[in-house]
Amino acid sequence: KCPRGMFCVGGSTPLPTSCPRGAFAPDIGMMNCTPCPRGSFALDAGSLECIPCPPGTEGPQEGMETCTRCSSGFYMPSAGSSQCL
């Protein structure tokens, strides 16, 4: 079976492929990767889970590889935000 952090496209001998940055595969045997939800990121290929954006950053889109620093005049005191205040 396809290992966690990877996806396998069908066929008689599926070839495991690492999930790209910004996506994850938490379970064994996945046929595709899941984009990280807004407010989180996956920096490395082959991630098992997404990491919440740290305070002072935002993750406004799905599938982010890194979070974006809040613009001047905006802030985010908590982790996992999709938009700075």
Side-chain angles (χ1 to χ4, degrees), residues 63-81:
M64 296 203 56
E65 298 174 8
T66 60
C67 298
T68 307
R69 189 178 303 243
C70 292
S71 299
S72 180
F74 292 86
Y75 70 99
M76 178 40 60
S78 57
S81 176

Side-chain angles (χ1 to χ4, degrees), residues 4-77:
R4 295 174 65 207
M6 302 185 129
F7 68 100
C8 294
V9 179
S12 58
T13 56
L15 179 64
T17 304
S18 291
C19 290
R21 295 174 62 192
F24 69 111
D27 301 316
I28 293 172
M30 294 191 72
M31 295 184 66
N32 52 38
C33 300
T34 304
C36 290
R38 292 173 52 181
S40 66
F41 71 103
L43 181 62
D44 299 319
S47 292
L48 305 180
E49 62 186 3
C50 297
I51 301 167
C53 290
T57 67
E58 63 183 354
Q61 302 170 349
E62 286 188 344
M64 296 203 56
E65 298 174 8
T66 60
C67 298
T68 307
R69 189 178 303 243
C70 292
S71 299
S72 180
F74 292 86
Y75 70 99
M76 178 40 60

